[in-house]
Amino acid sequence: QVQLVESGGGLVQAGGSLRLSCTASISIFNIHVMGWYRQAPGNQRELVAVIAGDGRTDYGDSVKGRFTISRDNAKNTVSLQMDSLKSEDTAVYYCKLKRATGVGWLDYWGQGTQVTVSS
């Protein structure tokens, strides 16, 4: 099975930075979409950023201009650089891999990593 392991979460002061990394147990060279989502208590899971195989990216409105997603196919890793963090960014962040299979597109999720931004 596909395993995704996130790292880099923690506690940071408002205005600071964190870099999250997600390493897949399979090659991501042929994986079309990799992304990050987040979920805070009482909220639904929301898009943070995605990166497609053609290099196009998309970001949630609340993080545009502050977060940057990238992928390193040689290391089977997708990263999220988070700058100018706000208390509203506090959430559990989840890595997602979208994979084409014989039964269609399937989503795989990491276990999540906690990001806490103090105000």
Side-chain angles (χ1 to χ4, degrees):
Q1 289 187 312
V2 177
Q3 303 290 328
L4 302 174
V5 180
E6 301 106 329
S7 63
L11 174 65
V12 65
Q13 292 182 332
S17 298
L18 284 174
R19 185 175 180 85
L20 305 182
S21 295
C22 170
T23 300
S25 63
I26 62 171
S27 172
I28 66 168
F29 184 80
N30 294 318
I31 299 299
H32 185 58
V33 178
M34 299 285 292
W36 289 92
Y37 289 71
R38 68 187 183 186
Q39 188 167 19
N43 295 339
Q44 68 181 59
R45 190 168 298 184
E46 65 177 353
L47 169 72
V48 177
V50 293
I51 183 166
D54 61 5
R56 289 184 294 176
T57 58
D58 193 24
Y59 295 90
D61 289 340
S62 64
V63 308
K64 289 180 179 177
R66 300 188 296 120
F67 292 8
T68 304
I69 189 171
S70 62
R71 60 193 290 172
D72 186 337
N73 291 336
K75 297 182 178 180
N76 300 325
T77 298
V78 61
S79 298
L80 183 70
Q81 178 67 40
M82 304 185 294
D83 298 321
S84 301
L85 283 162
K86 306 174 181 179
S87 60
E88 300 96 306
D89 296 318
T90 296
V92 177
Y93 285 70
Y94 297 91
C95 178
K96 185 186 78 173
L97 179 154
K98 184 180 290 290
R99 187 187 190 189
T101 72
V103 295
W105 294 95
L106 296 178
D107 291 339
Y108 298 88
W109 297 91
Q111 80 285 354
T113 185
Q114 177 71 45
V115 171
T116 302
V117 184
S118 62
S119 60

